[in-house]
Amino acid sequence: MRAIIAFLLFLFLTTTTSITATAHESSKCKAWLVQSIPTDMPQLPPVPGLLSTADVLQWLAGNSSKSLDIIAQYWQLVPSLSDPRSGDYGYSDEKLQQFGANEGLKVYKALESAANRKLPIRLLQHSGVYPDYTEEPSNLASGRPNVKNVTLLLSDWWGSGVVHAKVWISDSRDVYIGSANNDWKSLTQVKEVGIYLAGCSDIAKKVEIYYDNLWKLAHLDVSAYTRSVWDSQWQINRKVPCWSHYVNPKDRCRSPLPKCMEVAHISGYPVLSDPFMFHIPIETPGVNDSFFHPQPSYLSFAPPELLFGKYYTDEQAWVDTIKSVGNGGTVRINTMDWLGQSGYTKETVYWPSLSSAISEVVFSKSAKIQILVAKWAHFINNTDQYLKSLLYSNTLCSSSKYNHCSGKVEIKYYIVPGYNSTGPAALNGTATGNMYPGYTRVNHGKYAVSDTRAHISTSNLVWDYFYTTAGVSFGTYQPAIVSQLQEIFNADWNSPYAVPVEPMEEGHACSS
């Protein structure tokens, strides 16, 4: 009932904003946290005031009047039932209805209607996933000059990496940033978290600049703008854009991007002591205790070479969110993947950035760190070792008489029921016994929230997502958003779907 009331409130407010677009109150920035919850999770307590991802994306597609820009890793809003290579194959129409597949179809139809009414639309994505790749955005652009469609391969620029950001920008004033792919399963079979900012033109226009930078990359001659360098920060040879700070100044080219960051070269990327903050009031209609006074908010981006102005790298924004915790406070971190290294580069990078930040606040501020990591069908095998090494901070915390440390790290795996029964329902004419389509039943959200600051991201916690992969995050000190994001985390953390990760056995900390 509360969810229905929240959605009706959302429709009323956004409709009012649309009708009074020229009025003074239309400039007010409003924010809602957005979530997808998989079906068949009856023991997950609801968090009031949230919007569903499907409703927000359908709204953005259906109500844009001037422009719509979308960044996606891949598309599959329409189920692929007839292709035996698809993870959707073999399920009945009745079963798809139970899975909520119609929600993706509604979003696609809303996009199709927007394209037919001659709305200027730009679609930018990675090459997609097997077997459909970029079929849906190609179909939307086919025969419609108002729809532009681009596929960007970041591996051509960085040697690895993908367009992983999930962003919708409407009319240069409304924006969705979150973990949900343009996939029907992301709406009803995968757990997602994002934020919808309405009437926030200052923020939307900055995200638009990042979008323009990606769009420009897709139209440049890669061979003329890349260099192979020795990266002294991460101790590997790698490919980077020629304007990268990893290229020595005498060899560095002038960036062809309209707006990019200009800072003196140092080893590694520059850390900002005063990153740009939006000091604008953000109203939160979905939360009763809305705060109308301006609170600092920010955007962060990856890879670093696509930054502009004085904006955070996404890595620094995550680290600073962890370090924003007060003495004795709690940091809550939610991610699909956690790995203290690279995952997709030819040479392996050891990556201690987040682990170090966590250990620092456990020691210096006696902070509690709670981390939720997804356990699912495509779980990264050596995740467990990295998580247990992080738990060893608890042993180190009390290892010396000189320590005045009472902090603690707690880690749980989040297990969506049915995660180990996903895939096509039939294979080579034989029933597989799978209960859900492929690549579903996973906690896919990426966010962190301290007692003062919320950070909502599109990046998994692996080195590649910060240095070779396109990602966008929004963060804020707005108390209502911080509080509600804590509620989302706590509902998951305290649910029966979260299972503690056990620390390594004593005496085996250094075993091979």
Side-chain angles (χ1 to χ4, degrees):
M1 185 65 183
R2 286 180 294 183
I4 295 172
I5 293 171
F7 180 58
L8 290 174
L9 177 62
F10 160 67
L11 287 179
F12 170 75
L13 287 168
T14 44
T15 303
T16 302
T17 301
S18 177
I19 292 171
T20 60
T22 58
H24 175 71
E25 60 264 30
S26 67
S27 63
K28 290 182 180 177
C29 180
K30 300 180 178 67
W32 288 262
L33 289 182
V34 182
Q35 186 170 239
S36 300
I37 297 179
T39 59
D40 307 323
M41 294 186 70
Q43 297 182 73
L44 182 64
V47 175
L50 302 179
L51 301 179
S52 81
T53 309
D55 289 337
V56 169
L57 299 189
Q58 190 178 345
W59 167 263
L60 287 169
N63 290 276
S64 297
S65 59
K66 297 177 182 177
S67 63
L68 181 62
D69 293 335
I70 299 174
I71 309 176
Q73 183 185 355
Y74 65 90
W75 292 69
Q76 197 181 68
L77 290 168
V78 181
S80 184
L81 295 180
S82 59
D83 193 329
R85 301 169 297 174
S86 169
D88 300 349
Y89 182 72
Y91 290 98
S92 65
D93 289 339
E94 181 183 5
K95 201 67 179 172
L96 283 172
Q97 290 300 316
Q98 293 175 13
F99 293 151
N102 197 47
E103 294 300 317
L105 184 61
K106 287 179 184 176
V107 175
Y108 185 81
K109 291 295 185 185
L111 282 169
E112 205 169 41
S113 296
N116 288 338
R117 68 174 186 266
K118 303 296 192 292
L119 178 74
I121 300 174
R122 292 189 297 176
L123 309 173
L124 185 148
Q125 62 276 321
H126 181 58
S127 62
V129 293
Y130 185 83
D132 293 327
Y133 299 103
T134 58
E135 183 177 328
E136 288 183 1
S138 297
N139 289 343
L140 287 168
S142 179
R144 298 184 178 101
N146 57 302
V147 181
K148 308 297 183 185
N149 177 40
V150 163
T151 295
L152 173 59
L153 301 179
L154 289 192
S155 58
D156 292 343
W157 288 90
W158 280 271
S160 67
V162 299
V163 174
H164 193 257
K166 301 93 167 61
V167 175
W168 291 48
I169 312 166
S170 169
D171 296 344
S172 300
R173 63 190 300 276
D174 303 337
V175 61
Y176 166 83
I177 298 170
S179 62
N181 288 301
N182 283 8
D183 178 2
W184 72 264
K185 295 177 281 289
S186 295
L187 308 181
T188 59
Q189 290 302 316
V190 176
K191 196 165 192 304
E192 312 281 10
V193 172
I195 189 164
Y196 169 53
L197 297 155
C200 306
S201 57
D202 288 347
I203 296 172
K205 287 175 181 176
K206 298 301 182 185
V207 181
E208 225 169 35
I209 294 172
Y210 177 79
Y211 190 104
D212 291 341
N213 285 349
L214 289 175
W215 194 267
K216 179 81 171 180
L217 276 190
H219 294 87
L220 290 174
D221 178 0
V222 174
S223 62
Y225 285 103
T226 52
R227 301 283 188 274
S228 293
V229 299
W230 168 252
D231 182 340
S232 60
Q233 172 73 10
W234 301 111
Q235 294 291 294
I236 60 169
N237 291 293
R238 66 187 185 104
K239 188 178 185 180
V240 293
C242 60
W243 62 91
S244 173
H245 288 264
Y246 293 110
V247 178
N248 286 326
K250 62 185 178 63
D251 300 321
R252 200 182 304 161
C253 71
R254 182 176 180 178
S255 172
L257 302 180
K259 293 188 179 181
C260 70
M261 188 184 225
E262 293 297 337
V263 206
H265 175 78
I266 61 169
S267 179
Y269 243 77
V271 172
L272 297 181
S273 58
D274 57 343
F276 178 80
M277 295 278 178
F278 298 91
H279 290 273
I280 57 175
I282 300 178
E283 298 180 11
T284 52
V287 183
N288 289 332
D289 54 342
S290 290
F291 293 81
F292 301 107
H293 298 294
Q295 299 288 337
S297 300
Y298 63 86
L299 293 163
S300 61
F301 304 95
E305 290 82 5
L306 297 183
L307 291 179
F308 54 93
K310 297 196 72 178
Y311 287 83
Y312 270 126
T313 62
D314 208 22
E315 180 190 60
Q316 185 186 344
W318 276 90
V319 168
D320 283 4
T321 301
I322 293 167
K323 292 185 176 182
S324 70
V325 67
N327 289 326
T330 301
V331 180
R332 300 161 174 89
I333 299 173
N334 187 93
T335 180
M336 182 178 79
D337 295 330
W338 178 289
L339 207 61
Q341 64 174 68
S342 59
Y344 308 98
T345 55
K346 185 177 180 181
E347 298 172 85
T348 304
V349 172
Y350 176 65
W351 183 58
S353 300
L354 298 193
S355 299
S356 294
I358 286 169
S359 296
E360 287 171 26
V361 298
V362 165
F363 273 72
S364 65
K365 294 183 175 179
S366 294
K368 180 190 289 185
I369 312 294
Q370 296 179 324
I371 304 172
L372 272 175
V373 178
K375 191 76 173 277
W376 70 306
H378 304 279
F379 181 70
I380 300 175
N381 288 333
N382 50 334
T383 297
D384 202 56
Q385 287 89 333
Y386 275 108
L387 294 179
K388 289 184 176 181
S389 71
L390 191 53
L391 285 173
Y392 195 65
S393 295
N394 297 334
T395 302
L396 295 175
C397 185
S398 57
S399 63
S400 169
K401 66 180 182 180
Y402 301 108
N403 290 359
H404 303 284
C405 175
S406 57
K408 187 177 183 181
V409 179
E410 299 176 328
I411 306 175
K412 292 183 180 182
Y413 284 129
Y414 197 83
I415 302 174
V416 177
Y419 82 96
N420 54 355
S421 298
T422 56
L427 190 63
N428 298 324
T430 303
T432 61
N434 288 324
M435 298 171 59
Y436 298 95
Y439 292 91
T440 61
R441 314 303 292 176
V442 59
N443 182 21
H444 191 243
K446 306 99 166 51
Y447 64 87
V449 56
S450 70
D451 38 11
T452 61
R453 169 165 155 162
H455 179 80
I456 300 162
S457 185
T458 68
S459 299
N460 287 309
L461 302 185
V462 181
W463 178 87
D464 312 68
Y465 288 89
F466 297 95
Y467 286 92
T468 69
T469 294
V472 179
S473 299
F474 172 81
T476 185
Y477 288 86
Q478 211 274 7
I481 295 174
V482 170
S483 176
Q484 194 175 44
L485 194 57
Q486 289 173 347
E487 283 189 67
I488 293 173
F489 182 93
N490 291 340
D492 288 326
W493 182 264
N494 297 318
S495 76
Y497 308 117
V499 179
V501 175
E502 298 300 328
M504 64 180 73
E505 294 180 17
E506 291 294 329
H508 292 277
C510 298
S511 62
S512 59

